[in-house]
């Protein structure tokens, strides 16, 4: 069988790309994968691209001389994304292969909680909090409670920044503590992303 730079005689499409199967990741975390190119007809793939399916568009993909390339991407929101790799060689051939990545949501984190730490029984105080989320999520509150020792009212939260406040009235003394403690006045607000 004769062979040339353009492949095996009678083989007019020698380019193949191996990208692997579906993958998983979490929002805010880097997803990485190695792919490989088999190409009997070319020695350069400088026009190659990868599209990660999240609206960021096609990005230049560098393919090494041994036909390997590395993918790396961080999705900012949970969902299922289609990754499309397009390999273009130096003789004008191109080949695209795709796989999906399922990105899981990451729960937001309550960063700060400030206010009166020793409230007098029957008094009402305002507390402020901040939260963060690694994803491009909006903030909301799924539940908040004053528990046995407090009554919560006036709860607000900024859906973009995760900052908020509420009022808590200490209605009973907590006999398990030597004094009053704002953590006995309420349960920490459960903040959800998206």
């Amino acid at each position: 069988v004769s062979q040339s730079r353009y492949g095996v005689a009678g083989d007019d499409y020698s380019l193949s790309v191996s990208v692997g199967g579906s993958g998983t990741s979490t929002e805010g975390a880097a997803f990485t994968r190695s792919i490989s190119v088999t190409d009997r007809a070319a020695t350069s793939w400088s026009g190659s691209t990868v599209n990660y399916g999240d609206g960021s568009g096609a990005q230049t993909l560098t393919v090494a001389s041994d036909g390997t390339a590395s993918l790396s991407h961080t999705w900012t929101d949970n969902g299922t994304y289609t990754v499309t790799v397009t390999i273009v060689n130096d003789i004008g051939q191109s080949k695209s292969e795709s796989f999906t990545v399922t990105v899981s949501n990451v729960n937001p984190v309550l960063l700060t909680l400030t206010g009166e730490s020793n409230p007098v029984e029957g008094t009402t105080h305002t507390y402020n909090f901040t939260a963060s989320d690694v994803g491009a999520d909006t903030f909301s509150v799924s539940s908040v409670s004053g528990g046995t020792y407090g009554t919560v009212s006036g709860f607000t939260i900024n859906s973009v920044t995760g900052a908020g406040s509420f009022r808590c009235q200490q209605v009973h003394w907590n006999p398990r503590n030597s004094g009053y403690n704002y953590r006995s006045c309420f349960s920490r607000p459960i903040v959800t992303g998206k």
Side-chain angles (χ1 to χ4, degrees):
V1 178
S2 61
Q3 185 172 351
S4 70
R5 184 173 185 271
Y6 299 96
V8 177
D11 179 6
D12 60 355
Y13 205 80
S14 61
L15 175 63
S16 65
V17 184
S18 177
V19 297
S22 58
T24 59
S25 187
T26 56
E27 59 181 11
F31 171 86
T32 60
R33 173 175 290 188
S34 295
I35 66 168
S36 61
V37 176
T38 301
D39 193 351
R40 297 188 301 273
T43 58
S44 174
W45 306 272
S46 60
S48 301
T49 60
V50 55
N51 190 318
Y52 291 100
D54 59 355
S56 57
Q59 303 174 29
T60 299
L61 179 65
T62 300
V63 182
S65 58
D66 62 356
T68 60
S70 297
L71 306 182
S72 180
H73 191 68
T74 300
W75 285 275
T76 60
D77 202 5
N78 54 291
T80 299
Y81 299 89
T82 299
V83 180
T84 302
V85 175
T86 301
I87 302 298
V88 180
N89 64 19
D90 60 353
I91 62 170
Q93 293 177 330
S94 66
K95 185 71 176 291
S96 295
E97 295 289 349
S98 299
F99 63 96
T100 59
V101 177
T102 300
V103 179
S104 301
N105 186 58
V106 175
N107 290 330
V109 176
L110 192 63
L111 296 177
T112 63
L113 183 59
T114 59
E116 176 59 56
S117 60
N118 291 289
V120 175
E121 185 173 356
T123 60
T124 301
H125 298 275
T126 297
Y127 297 87
N128 299 286
F129 65 88
T130 59
S132 68
D133 191 283
V134 297
D137 295 328
T138 56
F139 292 92
S140 62
V141 175
S142 62
S143 67
V144 62
S145 172
T148 305
Y149 304 103
T151 301
V152 174
S153 63
F155 202 102
T156 64
I157 186 170
N158 186 305
S159 62
V160 177
T161 66
S165 65
F166 57 91
R167 294 187 299 275
C168 183
Q169 181 183 29
Q170 183 85 20
V171 296
H172 293 294
W173 173 63
N174 184 352
R176 291 175 296 178
N177 291 337
S178 58
Y180 301 106
N181 187 288
Y182 69 89
R183 293 188 187 279
S184 73
C185 187
F186 61 92
S187 301
R188 302 188 83 178
I190 301 173
V191 182
T192 62
K194 192 157 184 167

